[in-house]
Amino acid sequence: MEYTAPTLAAELKRQMIRQLPSRPLTGGGFHHFELRASVIAEVSAEVSYEAFETVLLDLSAECPEWEIELEGSHDNLKATFTR
């Protein structure tokens, strides 16, 4: 499969969403956790950057109570959630 920024972002986000702890996350419990995602693809740095930006914006919109940091590359991406 040839990946574009939107398809790469969608796959990375899909993998992360599956790993999110069940709601409710606010008001107790976790204050820090990490999720990992991986897509093996040959894409340019520009495509990766655009995909990471999309993933970060989408996750931030879905989980506004969390500060989210992405680290790594599309074949070994780590998202750190803290509040």
Side-chain angles (χ1 to χ4, degrees):
M1 172 178 199
E2 190 169 323
Y3 286 95
T4 62
T7 58
L8 182 59
E11 178 57 24
L12 291 167
K13 181 182 162 197
R14 183 189 68 74
Q15 290 179 28
M16 288 186 188
I17 293 293
R18 283 191 337 206
Q19 298 173 61
L20 281 174
S22 59
R23 300 272 192 221
L25 292 175
T26 57
F30 301 104
H31 292 282
H32 176 93
F33 64 93
E34 296 175 352
L35 303 178
R36 295 201 175 263
S38 175
V39 175
I40 305 301
E42 288 191 34
V43 296
S44 69
E46 183 179 323
V47 168
S48 286
Y49 178 77
E50 188 178 330
F52 294 165
E53 184 176 29
T54 301
V55 169
L56 186 57
L57 289 171
D58 288 353
L59 288 174
S60 294
E62 290 186 32
C63 307
E65 66 275 17
W66 293 94
E67 181 178 314
I68 304 168
E69 180 181 314
L70 297 180
E71 182 181 332
S73 61
H74 59 273
D75 61 348
N76 186 22
L77 185 63
K78 178 176 79 170
T80 303
F81 290 71
T82 52
R83 59 177 156 140

